[in-house]
Amino acid sequence: MSEGNLLKILKESRYTTALSGFAMLLESGYPSIRDGDVSYDIEQKYGYSMEEMFSSAFYSTRKEQFYEFYRNEMLSRLETPPGKGFVEMAELERRGLIQCIITRRIYGLPQRAGCQNVINLHGSVYDNFCPHCGRKYPMEFIRDSVRVPLCEDCKIPVRPRVCLFGEMVDNSVITRAAEEIQKADVLLVLGSHLNSYLCSQLINYYEGDKLILVNETPHHAERFADIVVHQRVDDLLEQLRRELG
C-alpha cells in the first residue's frame, strides 16, 4: 500500500486509535533489557535476572536491591529522548489523524514527544506515590535517592506506579483502552505483531474493518490484519507527515 492511500484512510477516519509496540522502543534506541547481551550483563551484575528483580515479590522483599536495579538499569534509559517515530506520531495526533495512543511501555515516550491522549497500560516511571498518604513524587525523587526513597511525610517507601511482573494491570485502565479501541474505525498497530501481549489483550475489542499493521518484520499472525506494511514505523510516520505538507 502506498503512503498516499494510507494517508487517505487516516484522513477519512472518524476516530483512529494507535497501539504503540515494542519495535518503536527499539527504534528510539532503547535496548531490550530482557533479551541477549543486556539481559546476561544484568544477571551477571546483580545475581538475579531482570524478570526476578522487576517483580512484585522482589520489590516486597528486597527493596534496596530493587531500587538499585531500577535506578541504574531503567531510569538511566531516560537520558535517551523519544525517537523520530514518537515525534511524528505526536504531530499526526496534533493534526487530527490519530486520536489516541495505547502502549505497555513505562518510559513515557509518547508524552515526552508531545502526544496528548495516551493510555499507559503498565503505568509510567514518571508517576510515583506514597502508598500510605498518596503524596505524589516526580521521577527525579526516585532517580536521585541514595537507597530506598522514603515519603517525606510518612517515612515509608515511595512506589513507582508501574505494573511489576506478578501484578495485574489496573482494570480501569484496561476498560478505558478497550473503549478507545471499540470506538475506533481505524486501528493502527505500530511496531508489534498481532500475537503480542499488547495486541492479544485488546485486539478483540476492535469492531472495524481497517486494522492496519505496520511492522518491519513479517509475522504469521499478520494475515489477520486488513492492511500490512513491512516498514520501520518511524520512517512510515515521517512519510505520512510529509505527505500532509
Side-chain angles (χ1 to χ4, degrees):
M1 162 170 279
S2 70
E3 292 81 26
N5 290 337
L6 183 53
L7 184 61
K8 183 174 184 290
I9 290 173
L10 293 177
K11 282 183 173 180
E12 293 174 353
S13 172
R14 174 188 53 81
Y15 203 92
T16 296
T17 297
L19 297 180
S20 172
F22 186 56
M24 292 193 71
L25 192 75
L26 297 179
E27 289 176 0
S28 287
Y30 281 67
S32 173
I33 63 176
R34 296 181 65 181
D35 302 314
D37 292 341
V38 178
S39 176
Y40 176 79
D41 290 344
I42 286 175
E43 191 156 355
Q44 290 297 301
K45 182 176 179 180
Y46 298 98
Y48 299 94
S49 70
M50 183 271 181
E51 286 85 353
E52 287 177 292
M53 286 186 288
F54 199 61
S55 69
S56 56
F58 201 90
Y59 175 83
S60 297
T61 58
R62 299 179 177 91
K63 281 189 175 59
E64 191 162 331
Q65 288 172 287
F66 171 88
Y67 278 107
E68 180 188 8
F69 159 77
Y70 183 71
R71 284 190 296 264
N72 293 344
E73 310 301 334
M74 306 197 78
L75 296 188
S76 65
R77 309 291 180 196
L78 301 177
E79 297 172 3
T80 302
K84 178 175 70 175
F86 291 103
V87 174
E88 299 291 358
M89 188 161 60
E91 178 63 15
L92 293 178
E93 183 194 32
R94 189 184 70 80
R95 298 177 73 164
L97 268 67
I98 296 175
Q99 279 68 47
C100 180
I101 296 100
I102 301 171
T103 181
R104 288 178 60 224
R105 307 303 151 192
I106 64 174
Y107 296 110
L109 290 167
Q111 291 98 323
R112 289 163 60 195
C115 296
Q116 299 298 313
N117 187 21
V118 181
I119 298 175
N120 296 299
L121 290 175
H122 285 193
S124 168
V125 298
Y126 291 93
D127 185 4
N128 305 280
F129 69 104
C130 171
H132 179 69
C133 70
R135 179 173 171 179
K136 294 182 178 181
Y137 287 88
M139 177 275 296
E140 291 79 7
F141 184 83
I142 308 291
R143 183 196 64 193
D144 298 338
S145 62
V146 177
R147 300 178 71 175
V148 176
L150 300 178
C151 175
E152 293 174 338
D153 296 327
C154 304
K155 307 306 178 188
I156 67 170
V158 173
R159 165 74 199 257
R161 202 183 300 273
V162 296
C163 190
L164 303 175
F165 292 122
E167 295 180 331
M168 299 292 290
V169 177
D170 188 308
N171 196 53
S172 65
V173 177
I174 289 288
T175 298
R176 184 183 162 213
E179 290 171 349
E180 289 289 347
I181 289 176
Q182 277 182 322
K183 67 183 179 184
D185 47 341
V186 173
L187 181 61
L188 279 177
V189 178
L190 302 174
S192 183
H193 58 78
L194 298 184
N195 279 359
S196 70
Y197 186 72
L198 172 66
C199 292
S200 62
Q201 264 191 314
L202 298 169
I203 209 82
N204 289 336
Y205 294 104
Y206 180 57
E207 299 173 349
D209 59 0
K210 292 185 178 66
L211 196 168
I212 302 171
L213 173 66
V214 182
N215 202 27
E216 192 174 21
T217 306
H219 189 275
H220 64 86
E222 67 188 28
R223 67 185 185 275
F224 298 112
D226 300 301
I227 299 167
V228 178
V229 181
H230 290 143
Q231 191 173 350
R232 281 177 63 105
V233 176
D234 53 4
D235 288 342
L236 179 68
L237 296 184
E238 181 182 38
Q239 291 166 8
L240 290 175
R241 192 259 308 155
R242 286 179 174 173
E243 284 284 326
L244 275 173

